[in-house]
Amino acid sequence: MCSPEEEALLQLEEVFLATLDRINGQVLQPLLEAEPSDPQGKECRRLLLQLQSSSQQLWEATQKSLHSLRERLRHPDTVGLESVQLLCCADHVLRVHVEYIESYTSCVVVQAFQKAAKWRSEYWRAQRKALRQLLWGLGSERAVGPALVQALRQPLTHHVQQYVLLLLSLGDTVGDHHPARELVVRTASLFGGLQSFLRQALDQATATQALWRTLSSRPRDALCTPARRLLQDSQDIPVTVAPLRAERVLLFDDVLVLLQGHSVHTFDLKLVWVDPEQDGCALHLLTPEEEFFFSSKNSQDQAVWRWKVTQAVCQALRGKKDFPVLGAGPEPSETPTCRSVAYTFLAEGRLCQATYEGEWCRGRPHGKGTLKWPDGRNHVGSFCQGLEHGFGICLVPQASEDKFDCYKCHWREGSMCGYGICEHGTDQVYKGHFRDGLRHGFGVLESAPQLPGPCKYTGHWERGQRSGYGVQEDRDRGERYIGMWQADQRHGPGVMVTQAGVCYQGNFQADKMVGPGVLLSEDDSLYEGTFTRDLVLLGKGKVTFPNGFTLEGSFGSGAGSGLHTQGLLDTAAPPPDPSSTCKRQLGLGAFPVESRWQGVYGPFRDFVRAGCPGDLQEALLGFHVQSSRELRRSQEYLCCERTPPDDSAGRMEDILEEVLRHREPAALQPYLTKALSSSLHPLGMLLRTLMQTFQATYAGIGANKHLQGLAQEEVKQHARELWAAYRGLLRVALQRKGQALEEEEDTETRDLRVYGLVLPLILPSFYSELFTLYLLLHEREDSLYSQGLTNLSLFPDTKLLEFLDVQKHLWPLKDLTLTTNQRHSLVKDKCFLSATECLQKVITTVDPREKLEVLERTYGEIEATVSRVLGREHKLPMDDLLPLLIYVVSRARPVTSTCSGMTCIGCPAAGTPGSPGSSASPGRTVELRAAAVDVPCSTCGPTWPSRPNSRGGTGSRRRVSEETSFSQGDAAADPTGVRVRGGRDGPRAGGFPSPATGPVSDDLDLQQLWSWGRGAAGFPLPEPGSHVSEPQWGSL
């Protein structure tokens, strides 16, 4: 059975629905029939249309509520109270009422009814008598506009008031256990709030309408908008502003306004901060460009202004009006310190006319954001207290072309500081460190290959200029400079390497060679003297030819006539050792290895000293991004997918935990292997940068045999620095646990770790360049070595075993399968076949450690074959092992072309056998290395392996005799077969003249002398008039 309150609600809905029909037909539609042409009239008509739309939605909601109440009254037993539209959809009904109230009050604020009534004044005069019933109080003298305002206000106010009364009564009527009890109570509470909201909205609209009448036209036009509501006026509660001046202060629901004469200063409430720490009678307000105080004569007035401003700011940030009244929002009434808003700076300065959109804190950009200037500049990234701070991407347009410079960098206090990548619109890319907005520290600048004069600089910078140690490659000229820089010019000791194989070491000043220097040609000719221009001999000097001849005197160049000299030619000197002439090393001692790449080591040390903070890892150690060569006008450059990920602090904690877990010797090597191979680990990042510097120095044009010593000592220094870096990480990890690192390592322990642990791990990273340098340096010995192996491979198996003096009981004759009329002495490639096949796999390896493992397995196969032949396990002594190893090497034919890869393990870069730097394991591998010490390498020269004495001891060494058609002594002295005879008469080669020893006149053609010296050394000579491809003195 239905209650009386439900019947009363039905009647209330019927009356209100009929009222809405009359308002729409007799008021709104007539008002909208006019078509004003002025802007204000059009704005009023837009507001009336909006009011009509809201009225229609309110009519539809009331119609649905009325229909549900009728169904409830018709079928009280089957239709429950909870099905009434007013109760089950209370939020929707409430929202429709709020929208209608806001549309109505907007019309009130701008006096839309009064203005619209004037458009059809004749109509309203004719309809006055008919409209009196609807427009109560409309007398013959009263204006139509105010009456229209009351005609819409009175029914709405009465309707909401009756809603509240009936719903409260209905709540008292239904029992506590009624299923619709909670719906009724909630709906009554909502419409009670709506009643308060309506009362406040009407009061604010009335006050705002009255305000516009008191203002002059200029501030009124600047401030008057239909949605804006006045919350507080300083004429009602006085307040003084300092240091700014203001005659009147107006607080609206969206802006704070300071009026001074005709000037209007507005502050968006979303960008107004109320300082909660300010005590006393002063209200401290912060904005992006201003900071001022409100003060009142008494604390009560001050409290009112503080409360009103605070609530207005919170309401503006929420984006909707507080319900039911100001300050009753769902969130705390404290103004949030951090917020996200867009703002355009107006004051003069760096940010003038720039628009910032992002996170703020206390009136300053703080956090993630985007800064855009009208001229096209953009900055996307992190900010701190109004300045760029942290990682950011800056796009700077070029004035002449539609291209941009893109900076992906870390910033500090508004300037680039730390690691960054700059992609210039000129197709130049810089990857390196910055300080105060300039390149500073280690960095790489590279231009695109298609640009004129393409070059690449890898090295140190100081305040935007190349300064310190660096490597520059000029691709057009085919030159690479390795040395010192100052003020963007080559200055100090340096080494120049050309694509033609010419090397220079000396001093540079103001980008030019000056003073004494050394010049090496590709054929190992040496010039020692003075230089004044790039690779041009001028002044006193000495030339040492490959055959030992020397030419000492004064050098000069004539116009178009090549190089001329006047001096003394000495042909009496004996021929030098070819191994010593071709192995001259440059750069050693000129650049202390400890100071070459301090720009790479330094940031890592700073990172460790700072305690390895995750937020500084990218800034100090760098990051990797994909670079673009062409920068177009596109927002795609304002994003950066870089590694490592954002959670760098958590990842750094994990890394330090791993360092502690793997500090024991047994776990240290696997851990370092994993760390050095990871691009996200600090040690791996440091190694990648060192690899970059190494390739920039010694790959390509820098692959010159005279730089091997420089490269070797650099790799050793890298190993020392990486071990120090690991120790630094370990120290930080222990400090975070409240522990201290044990006492500092002594020199012996440190060297053992550096050369025995770290160096073998990092060698594969530098192996390609080191191997190339080794091949170039030992090209002659390798050629002799390969020829010797080729000659040995001609022997049948038994003959070769006999020649190598292998004891006959060790010969695997059972492996020789003979055919009819075949003798043992004719069989080839059948003995020690498994060992031969094992050794051949060395050609497929790159890692030096893998090569050693192949050698160790080869030794195992040799020993297994011998044990099988003897029928028992047998350990080979060195005197027996060495000749068998020589036999296997001679049979593994593919190895002859990569023999230097095998013997490189004995070079200084890999450590000598048994030294801390050796990567060999103890025991058999060391024996193998010792056995191979006579193989040509960087330390032992072109010595052929001796034939071991089977009776014990080393025995006498016997070179390969004439039986192999090979004479090393002859080849070493004259590889081309041209005999060289020194003496006063000079060399005799190919019928060339032999000038007497003494002063050389200017009439002697130095080109002929140069060619003559090369011919005397055994090199092929060009025919007269033919083109000489090798670099000549006159063309340098």
Side-chain angles (χ1 to χ4, degrees), residues 604 608 683 686 720-730:
F604 193 96
V608 171
L683 293 178
L686 178 58
R720 288 190 287 269
E721 292 290 346
L722 285 167
W723 176 248
Y726 163 75
R727 295 275 296 175
L729 293 178
L730 179 59

Side-chain angles (χ1 to χ4, degrees), residues 547-550 570-576 982-983:
N547 63 346
F549 292 0
T550 61
D570 185 3
T571 61

Side-chain angles (χ1 to χ4, degrees), residues 470-515:
V471 179
Q472 175 159 304
E473 179 175 324
D474 189 330
R475 297 187 181 95
D476 277 355
R477 301 185 61 178
E479 295 178 352
R480 180 173 296 174
Y481 172 79
I482 305 169
M484 304 304 295
W485 296 74
Q486 180 178 319
D488 235 13
Q489 292 182 329
R490 295 173 294 181
H491 191 91
V495 174
M496 177 74 76
V497 183
T498 69
Q499 202 165 14
V502 178
C503 302
Y504 165 83
Q505 177 179 339
N507 288 301
F508 287 77
Q509 186 174 356
D511 227 26
K512 296 295 182 182
M513 299 178 182
V514 295

Side-chain angles (χ1 to χ4, degrees), residues 604 655 668-691 718-719 721-723 725-726 729 753-754 757-766:
F604 193 96
I655 289 174
L668 185 55
Q669 180 176 348
Y671 172 72
L672 288 178
T673 302
K674 179 181 176 181
L676 292 171
S677 62
S678 173
S679 61
L680 301 182
H681 196 284
L683 293 178
M685 298 170 71
L686 178 58
L687 179 59
R688 284 179 54 154
T689 306
L690 295 176
M691 290 169 57
H718 293 340
E721 292 290 346
L722 285 167
W723 176 248
Y726 163 75
L729 293 178
R753 291 296 189 183
V754 170
L757 177 62
V758 180
L759 186 60
L761 294 178
I762 69 172
L763 267 181
S765 301
F766 308 100

Side-chain angles (χ1 to χ4, degrees), residues 765-783:
S765 301
F766 308 100
Y767 180 71
S768 177
E769 291 78 21
L770 280 175
F771 188 35
T772 302
L773 293 173
Y774 176 84
L775 288 176
L776 295 173
L777 186 64
H778 301 87
E779 185 177 8
R780 179 184 177 88
E781 295 95 322
D782 286 349
S783 176

